[in-house]
């Protein structure tokens, strides 16, 4: 079984005025640091190239589209791909994708160590709302600017490991991990941009938000016997705080590495993927223990239906 040194490239705030080129330079600096630590795969956050623009209410579609990438790699990101190839490091990062057909997705890609894209994922569980909400302390307009992902939760054999991707709010849904778990996933990478305070419940501040974030990823890792790497974009973006808390979790749900700041920060750990085998062959041996005849409600129903 494969061993890889996996890194998490947490990024500090990206302001609205920051250029793609300036952000990519920061990403390359983290890549260089990762190379010096022996990292073989590096995970960047959700929407790694821009500020978290869904906090802004926009009516002009041309203004919205300025935050989206029409191809990947492109002129701004090609230096990142080139340097990752030169250093022999696989990367994964998130960005806003505008397709040739005019569709908008919250997307992530993963490359091999030769700099070639081997997988793409589009965020399925979009949080937030569509129209301006006066009752929120801050807006969260992902449902306005993105379509739900249409690619599903796929996995890929990459660098000797079965890898899958998720983005931000996906980490809170057990179905995310289980669909990939049923494909033998050994590494789930996900980036997030999570406000430090719940816009609809001021009592849910940073401590509780970090607890729920870790709880979700640790549970997903344990219940599917997979490594999970969750990486934040953090800090105060144009007055709006995002939490950090980037972690690397092993297949037993234990945290191997954790970010300490809300700035650009590298975390890393050697991941021995043979550790996935025990859980997959014992308590979470799906073939022996799953009882799908009782699970139909999960895919036949969305909202809650209470008993009469």
């Amino acid at each position: 079984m494969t061993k890889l040194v996996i890194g998490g490239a947490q990024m500090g705030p990206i302001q609205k005025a920051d250029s793609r080129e300036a952000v990519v330079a920061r990403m390359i600096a983290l890549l260089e640091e990762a190379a010096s630590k022996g990292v073989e795969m590096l995970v960047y956050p959700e929407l790694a190239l821009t500020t978290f623009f869904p906090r802004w209410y926009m009516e002009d579609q041309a203004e919205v589209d300025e935050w989206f990438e029409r191809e990947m790699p492109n002129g701004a990101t090609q230096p990142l791909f080139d340097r990752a190839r030169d250093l022999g490091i696989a990367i994964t990062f998130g960005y806003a994708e505008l397709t040739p057909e005019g569709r908008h997705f919250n997307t992530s890609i993963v490359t091999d160590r030769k700099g070639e894209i081997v997988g793409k994922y589009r965020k399925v569980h979009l949080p937030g709302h569509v129209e301006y909400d006066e009752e929120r302390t801050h807006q969260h307009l992902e449902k306005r600017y993105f379509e739900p992902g249409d690619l599903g939760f796929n996995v890929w054999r990459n660098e000797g490991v079965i890898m899958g991707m998720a983005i931000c709010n996906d980490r809170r849904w057990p179905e995310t991990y289980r669909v990939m778990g049923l494909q033998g996933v050994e590494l789930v990478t996900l980036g997030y941009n999570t406000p430090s305070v719940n816009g609809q419940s001021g009592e849910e501040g940073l401590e509780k938000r970090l607890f729920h974030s870790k709880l979700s990823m640790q549970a997903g890792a344990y219940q599917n016997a997979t490594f999970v790497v969750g990486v934040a974009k953090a800090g105060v973006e144009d007055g709006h705080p995002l939490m950090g808390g980037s972690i690397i979790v092993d297949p037993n749900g234990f945290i191997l590495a954790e970010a300490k700041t809300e700035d650009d920060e590298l975390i890393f750990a050697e991941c021995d993927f043979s550790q996935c085998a025990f859980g997959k062959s014992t308590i979470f041996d799906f073939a022996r223990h799953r009882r799908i005849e009782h699970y139909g409600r999960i895919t036949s129903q969305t909202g809650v239906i209470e008993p009469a």
Side-chain angles (χ1 to χ4, degrees):
M1 294 294 290
T2 302
K3 293 182 181 179
L4 287 176
V5 179
I6 307 292
Q10 179 172 289
M11 297 184 69
I14 299 173
Q15 309 305 334
K16 197 173 183 180
D18 291 345
S19 69
R20 304 285 206 284
E21 290 76 13
V23 174
V24 168
R26 287 168 55 187
M27 296 172 76
I28 292 174
L30 284 162
L31 186 69
E32 300 278 1
E33 182 183 358
S36 74
K37 304 297 185 182
V39 169
E40 297 163 288
M41 180 175 184
L42 188 60
V43 182
Y44 292 97
E46 172 191 28
L47 297 177
L49 302 175
T50 67
T51 194
F52 186 71
F53 66 85
R55 69 171 61 94
W56 309 107
Y57 181 78
M58 295 173 279
E59 294 182 324
D60 181 355
Q61 191 59 48
E63 180 184 3
V64 174
D65 288 351
E66 286 300 311
W67 299 107
F68 285 75
E69 315 302 319
R70 289 163 175 78
E71 58 184 356
M72 189 59 61
N74 55 33
T77 60
Q78 189 65 56
L80 175 65
F81 282 78
D82 292 344
R83 192 63 183 132
R85 182 194 63 235
D86 293 344
L87 294 171
I89 299 177
I91 61 172
T92 174
F93 66 91
Y95 62 97
E97 177 193 9
L98 177 55
T99 74
E101 300 77 29
R103 303 179 70 188
H104 298 75
F105 296 102
N106 190 337
T107 295
S108 63
I109 54 93
V110 62
T111 77
D112 59 21
R113 296 177 69 180
K114 298 178 182 178
E116 298 295 326
I117 294 174
V118 297
K120 175 185 284 190
Y121 169 73
R122 291 167 173 164
K123 187 174 181 178
V124 168
H125 298 105
L126 297 176
H129 50 109
V130 175
E131 299 300 337
Y132 190 87
D133 186 348
E134 295 182 352
E135 296 184 0
R136 291 176 180 255
T137 59
H138 53 271
Q139 302 302 298
H140 198 123
L141 293 155
E142 287 191 60
K143 288 185 183 294
R144 181 178 184 85
Y145 302 132
F146 301 116
E147 297 179 46
D150 62 347
L151 300 178
F153 294 104
N154 296 309
V155 301
W156 298 267
R157 290 189 181 274
N158 187 25
E159 301 301 332
V161 176
I162 301 175
M163 300 182 183
M165 291 179 279
I167 299 175
C168 197
N169 190 43
D170 290 322
R171 74 191 187 278
R172 307 185 191 278
W173 297 84
E175 296 90 342
T176 296
Y177 306 95
R178 183 49 47 85
V179 172
M180 289 188 275
L182 286 166
Q183 301 170 80
V185 75
E186 297 165 321
L187 173 64
V188 177
T189 63
L190 65 93
Y192 59 92
N193 286 207
T194 300
S196 298
V197 178
N198 189 319
Q200 295 176 286
S201 175
E203 295 181 356
E204 186 181 327
L206 180 60
E207 182 178 358
K208 291 181 179 179
R209 304 228 88 187
L210 286 170
F211 170 78
H212 289 144
S213 180
K214 294 176 188 177
L215 175 69
S216 301
M217 291 186 280
Q218 289 177 262
Y222 168 65
Q223 292 171 346
N224 296 277
T226 182
F227 287 89
V228 174
V229 182
V231 180
K233 176 146 62 65
V236 181
E237 293 190 337
D238 294 299
H240 297 268
L242 298 172
M243 72 180 202
S246 302
I247 54 174
I248 299 173
V249 185
D250 77 8
N252 290 305
F254 293 102
I255 295 175
L256 301 178
E258 182 173 357
K260 304 302 182 185
T261 74
E262 293 184 349
D263 299 316
D264 290 8
E265 180 181 353
L266 176 71
I267 61 172
F268 61 94
E270 182 179 70
C271 298
D272 179 355
F273 291 93
S274 69
Q275 294 178 11
C276 299
F278 182 77
K280 292 183 186 298
S281 62
T282 57
I283 191 169
F284 297 117
D285 183 340
F286 297 152
R288 283 197 294 148
H289 303 313
R290 294 186 79 240
R291 298 268 60 92
I292 61 174
E293 65 270 24
H294 300 297
Y295 303 161
R297 190 180 295 272
I298 290 176
T299 56
S300 65
Q301 178 182 326
T302 51
V304 172
I305 300 176
E306 297 182 348

